[in-house]
Structure formats: structure tokens, C-alpha cells
């Protein structure tokens, strides 16, 4: 005997059969209903106070402005009183009808979507307590209550929720007329749907207008920001152009003249040729640095070339340069030399460079000393120079100048400490400490 097992397989294509557009539309609609009126329907959303920066409220005194901020709450309370008054006119149990008319209206201030469902539930609940031959299916109090709730909830939510509320209201009215209106002379479903449609349409137009104003305001803000950025870029370009025209031109002339000067003298001494070569090298280096800085100033998205930034390892070249310019300088290093973060290395190099440049300008002929200390918590620098040999030839320079300010900014950026001032013998001293995190602290 042979046993055969037949497996029924689903024809290809049936498992993922494409849905019709009507089906997808219905699913999207139900998803929107769930999102707007069912999900977190009774979430707590306190009604905020009104803004008092409008053209009218801005002119009110301080106390009245504080009171005016509660205008939305006062309007809802007034609507609740109107609904209560309408419920009292009904020939039925006024206390129950008034409670069923007031509670949904007041609930809109704390749970707006929940207030809609409360109004939908209170409308049929109020019918047994009202006049059996009165309005149907909304009693007078229920009519005012539901219309108020629709308006407030539509203001506090989005237009799609207003459309859903009106649809559910119409569905309730149609079912009440069709199933439970036997023996009655008329209903008020038509007036409810007409008035609510007009009110909800007005609220929807207000929402659209408000959203358009917000978009225009946001666009104006973006435009103003772009305009300010463009103005800033134009100013930076102007500054870069002026710097290039003034500084770069003169530095180029210095480099050219320094290169041509030895050829204007017959048999120039080697010291003179070396001095002019140093001048030309410094001018070319300054031009390179200037062009790099101007590139940064000209454009916001400028990418600096991948040229290596100077570090403390390049300090010997700097000292040799200033020695060629006539400054006697010695370097002393204490502690275990180690590699430091790039920002610390660059800042230390620039600080030593600026301090020695100040010595060349303000104390020509003096000697200088550069002390570098590698300590456990960072890097210590001390650049000190002696008094100028002939002070009468030095013109006074009031203030600390931009060089000292730039050094302080670099030190402050690295959370370091710096002191600068004259020494007892008439020289000048710059002392800096740049903190460096220990490897254990970085790992922690």
C-alpha cells in the first residue's frame, strides 16, 4: 500500500493580491478616524491661556492683560451657561438635563476629544429625561451642548478631526431618524447638520489661514536668515579683498626686493645674502599664511588645504629664524617630552612665535629665553626677554596690543592660564599653562 499526501498550495499571486483603491481608501479613512478620535481620546490637554501680544490686548493695562488671557476659558464657561439655560427650558428633569449639557462643554478645556464622545453619549442619554414630544434627536440643551463641543474641539484639533466629528454626528442623526422617530412630527437633524457644517467650515478656513500665516512667517524667517548670511559673506569678502590688496601687495614687494637686493650690490658679503634670504623666506611664509586665512574669510564652506600645522617639534626652525633676525634666544626643555593634542601643540607654537615677535619689535638687541615644561597635568611655557640695550631708541607702545590679546584668547580656549607683564630688570615675561587630560581620564 502506498500512502500519498497531497499538499494544497496557494496559487501564486493570491497571497499578496493587490487591494482595490476603494479598499485602501476605506482603510486609510478608518486609520485616520482611529488616530484623530479614538487613540488617546481622553488624553489630558489643558486649554492654554490666550496670548496677549495682539494689537488690542497689547494696549490694555497689566492687570487687564492678565485677565484677558483667560478669555477662551470665560467663553467656554459662558457657552456652558447657555447650554444649561436651554436645558432648563425643557419640560423634563431639569437637573439631569442641565448636568448632561454642561459637563461635555466644560470637559473641552481639559480633554477635548473626550468631550466630543461625552457629548455623543449624553445626547441619547438625555432623551428619556426630556419632553417626549419635544425636539428629536437633540433636546434644546443637547443641541447647544453638542454644537459648542464641535466648535471648541474643532478649534483645538485639526480639520480632519472636524470632518470626522461632523460625519459621526450626521450618522447618529440619520440613524435616530430612521429607527426611532416613529410617531414624531419632525426632527432637528437638518438644522444641526447645517449649522455645524457652517461653523466647522469657518473653523477649518481659520485653521488653513493660520497654517498659511505660520508658513509665511517661517519662510520670512528663513529668508531673513539667508539675507543676513549673505550680507555677512559679502562683508567678509570685502574684508578679505582689502587685506589682500593692502597686506599681500606689500609682502609681495618685500619678497621681490629681498630676492633682488643681493644682485644690486657688487660682491655682497655672505651675511647680507643670508639676511635677504631670510627676509624673503619670511615674506613668502607670511603670504602663504595670509592666503590661507583669506580663503577661510572669503567663503563659509572653504576647505583649508591639508598643510601640516606647526607643532612644538617645529620650534627649532622658528628659533633659527629669529636668531637670523638678530635675536639671541635659548631653549630649555624640562620633563619627559611627549606628543600632545594638536590644538595644544599649535597654540603653544603660536604663543612662542608671538612672544618672540614682540621681543624683536619692542626690545631689539635683547636676549630671550624659551622654557618648555612637560608636567603631569599639561604643558608649561615661559618666554622671557631681557631689557633692550638702548631703550632711548624704542618708541613707546601703549596697551597690551593685539598680540597679547590673541595669546590670551588661545589660552582661554584651552581652559588654560596666562600671565604677562614686565620683569624687575625691565624685560618682559609671558607665562602660560595649558592643561592636558591624562590618558586615564580620557579612558574613563
Amino acid at each position: 500500500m502506498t500512502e500519498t499526501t497531497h499538499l494544497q498550495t496557494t496559487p501564486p499571486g493570491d497571497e499578496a493580491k493587490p487591494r482595490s483603491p476603494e479598499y485602501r481608501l476605506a482603510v486609510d479613512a478608518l486609520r485616520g478616524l482611529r488616530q484623530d478620535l479614538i487613540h488617546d481620546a481622553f488624553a489630558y490637554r489643558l486649554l492654554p491661556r490666550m496670548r496677549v501680544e495682539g494689537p488690542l490686548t497689547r494696549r490694555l493695562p497689566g492687570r487687564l492683560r492678565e485677565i484677558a488671557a483667560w478669555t477662551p476659558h470665560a467663553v467656554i464657561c459662558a457657552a456652558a451657561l447657555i447650554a444649561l439655560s436651554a436645558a432648563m427650558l425643557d419640560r423634563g428633569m431639569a437637573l439631569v438635563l442641565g448636568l448632561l449639557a454642561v459637563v461635555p462643554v466644560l470637559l473641552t478645556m481639559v480633554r477635548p476629544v473626550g468631550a466630543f464622545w461625552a457629548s455623543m453619549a449624553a445626547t441619547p442619554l438625555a432623551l428619556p429625561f426630556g419632553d417626549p414630544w419635544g425636539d428629536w434627536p437633540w433636546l434644546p440643551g443637547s443641541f447647544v451642548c453638542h454644537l459648542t463641543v464641535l466648535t471648541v474641539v474643532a478649534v483645538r484639533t485639526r480639520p480632519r478631526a472636524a470632518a470626522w466629528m461632523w460625519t459621526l454626528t450626521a450618522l447618529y442623526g440619520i440613524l435616530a431618524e430612521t429607527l426611532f422617530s416613529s410617531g414624531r412630527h419632525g426632527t432637528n437633524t437638518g438644522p444641526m447638520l447645517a449649522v455645524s457644517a457652517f461653523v466647522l467650515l469657518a473653523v477649518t478656513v481659520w485653521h488653513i489661514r493660520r497654517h498659511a500665516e505660520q508658513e509665511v512667517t517661517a519662510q520670512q524667517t528663513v529668508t531673513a536668515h539667508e539675507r543676513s548670511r549673505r550680507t555677512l559673506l559679502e562683508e567678509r569678502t570685502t574684508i578679505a579683498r582689502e587685506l589682500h590688496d593692502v597686506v599681500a601687495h606689500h609682502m609681495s614687494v618685500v619678497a621681490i626686493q629681498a630676492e633682488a637686493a643681493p644682485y644690486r650690490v657688487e660682491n655682497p658679503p655672505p651675511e647680507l645674502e643670508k639676511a635677504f634670504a631670510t627676509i624673503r623666506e619670511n615674506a613668502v611664509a607670511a603670504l602663504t599664511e595670509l592666503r590661507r586665512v583669506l580663503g577661510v574669510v572669503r567663503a563659509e564652506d572653504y576647505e583649508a588645504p591639508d598643510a601640516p600645522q606647526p607643532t612644538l617639534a617645529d620650534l627649532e626652525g622658528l628659533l633659527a629664524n629669529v636668531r637670523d633676525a638678530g635675536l639671541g634666544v635659548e631653549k630649555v626643555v624640562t620633563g619627559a617630552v611627549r606628543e600632545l593634542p594638536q590644538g595644544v601643540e599649535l597654540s603653544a607654537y603660536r604663543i612662542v612665535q608671538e612672544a618672540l615677535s614682540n621681543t624683536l619689535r619692542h626690545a631689539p638687541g635683547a636676549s630671550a629665553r624659551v622654557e618648555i615644561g612637560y608636567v603631569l597635568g599639561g604643558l608649561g611655557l615661559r618666554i622671557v626677554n631681557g631689557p633692550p640695550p638702548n631703550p632711548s631708541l624704542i618708541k613707546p607702545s601703549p596697551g597690551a596690543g593685539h598680540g597679547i590679546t590673541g595669546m590670551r584668547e588661545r589660552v582661554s580656549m584651552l581652559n588654560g592660564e596666562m600671565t604677562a607683564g614686565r620683569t624687575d630688570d625691565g624685560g618682559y615675561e609671558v607665562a602660560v599653562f595649558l592643561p592636558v587630560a591624562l590618558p586615564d581620564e580620557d579612558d574613563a
Side-chain angles (χ1 to χ4, degrees):
M1 176 180 293
T2 305
E3 183 179 353
T4 307
T5 304
H6 296 280
L7 296 178
Q8 184 176 359
T9 58
T10 305
D14 288 355
E15 197 171 307
K17 185 178 180 180
R19 305 293 185 178
S20 63
E22 294 79 6
Y23 175 83
R24 290 198 300 268
L25 184 63
V27 169
D28 293 341
L30 293 177
R31 187 181 294 114
L33 172 63
R34 181 180 180 275
Q35 182 179 358
D36 292 336
L37 297 181
I38 298 177
H39 182 67
D40 288 339
F42 287 87
Y44 181 79
R45 292 176 52 197
L46 183 63
L47 179 66
R49 292 189 297 174
M50 185 181 69
R51 299 177 60 182
V52 290
E53 289 85 9
L56 297 179
T57 55
R58 199 165 37 203
R59 302 178 183 178
L60 297 175
R63 181 60 181 169
L64 290 179
R65 290 182 66 185
E66 294 181 4
I67 297 175
W70 296 97
T71 300
H73 304 75
V75 171
I76 293 177
C77 291
L81 291 177
I82 295 174
L84 178 62
S85 302
M88 292 297 181
L89 297 177
D90 195 282
R91 292 179 297 179
M93 299 181 64
L95 181 61
V96 177
L97 294 177
L99 187 64
L100 292 174
V102 169
V103 170
V105 176
L106 297 180
L107 195 61
T108 58
M109 292 189 290
V110 288
R111 304 182 191 276
V113 179
F116 167 74
W117 292 113
S119 177
M120 289 291 293
T123 299
L125 287 177
L127 292 176
F129 302 98
D131 184 5
W133 303 104
D135 295 329
W136 176 272
W138 280 278
L139 298 179
S142 300
F143 192 96
V144 177
C145 167
H146 195 67
L147 191 59
T148 303
V149 169
L150 288 178
T151 305
V152 177
V153 177
V155 171
R156 298 199 61 190
T157 55
R158 51 184 177 178
R160 191 175 67 179
W164 276 117
M165 289 189 298
W166 188 87
T167 302
L168 294 176
T169 300
L171 183 62
Y172 167 76
I174 293 172
L175 289 177
E177 285 188 10
T178 305
L179 302 178
F180 306 103
S181 63
S182 58
R184 297 184 181 271
H185 297 288
T187 64
N188 55 3
T189 299
M192 167 60 76
L193 296 182
V195 175
S196 60
F198 177 78
V199 173
L200 294 180
L201 179 61
V203 172
T204 302
V205 171
W206 173 79
H207 268 298
I208 295 174
R209 183 174 181 272
R210 182 185 179 190
H211 181 68
E213 289 178 350
Q214 291 176 349
E215 286 189 348
V216 170
T217 303
Q219 187 63 35
Q220 289 177 346
T221 303
V222 172
T223 303
H225 180 65
E226 291 297 329
R227 187 183 300 113
S228 63
R229 289 180 57 187
R230 185 168 59 251
T231 303
L232 177 61
L233 183 59
E234 291 175 355
E235 292 176 356
R236 292 169 62 179
T237 304
T238 303
I239 295 172
R241 184 170 57 250
E242 293 297 328
L243 283 174
H244 182 272
D245 292 345
V246 175
V247 181
H249 170 72
H250 291 290
M251 293 303 297
S252 300
V253 171
V254 169
I256 294 173
Q257 290 183 345
E259 185 177 9
Y263 300 100
R264 297 177 180 273
V265 180
E266 186 176 355
N267 298 324
E271 294 81 5
L272 182 62
E273 291 184 353
K274 186 176 181 181
F276 280 119
T278 302
I279 293 173
R280 183 184 180 280
E281 290 176 2
N282 288 335
V284 172
L287 274 174
T288 303
E289 289 290 326
L290 179 63
R291 291 192 179 103
R292 184 181 63 83
V293 174
L294 291 183
V296 176
V297 174
R298 281 183 183 275
E300 201 173 11
D301 55 350
Y302 175 81
E303 295 184 1
D306 296 333
Q309 295 293 329
T311 62
L312 291 176
D314 303 315
L315 205 56
E316 288 298 335
L318 174 64
L319 299 183
N321 197 357
V322 296
R323 289 190 186 106
D324 292 341
L327 176 64
V329 58
E330 63 173 327
K331 183 183 76 167
V332 178
V333 181
T334 58
V337 178
R338 65 183 188 275
E339 186 177 355
L340 300 176
Q342 183 179 3
V344 175
E345 294 265 358
L346 176 61
S347 296
Y349 180 92
R350 293 302 187 193
I351 290 171
V352 174
Q353 183 183 41
E354 182 61 33
L356 295 179
S357 299
N358 288 340
T359 302
L360 285 172
R361 285 194 300 268
H362 304 297
S367 59
R369 178 184 175 91
V370 177
E371 299 177 2
I372 304 174
Y374 291 87
V375 295
L376 190 61
L379 178 70
L381 296 175
R382 182 174 178 267
I383 305 95
V384 60
N385 62 268
N390 194 354
S392 59
L393 300 179
I394 306 301
K395 295 183 180 181
S397 177
H402 295 289
I404 297 295
T405 302
M407 285 191 280
R408 291 190 188 279
E409 291 174 350
R410 288 183 180 274
V411 173
S412 175
M413 183 177 59
L414 297 173
N415 298 322
E417 299 177 1
M418 171 180 165
T419 58
R422 295 198 173 277
T423 59
D424 296 336
D425 61 352
Y428 203 85
E429 178 185 17
V430 176
V432 174
F433 177 76
L434 301 177
V436 178
L438 297 176
D440 321 350
E441 299 176 2
D442 292 340
D443 297 339

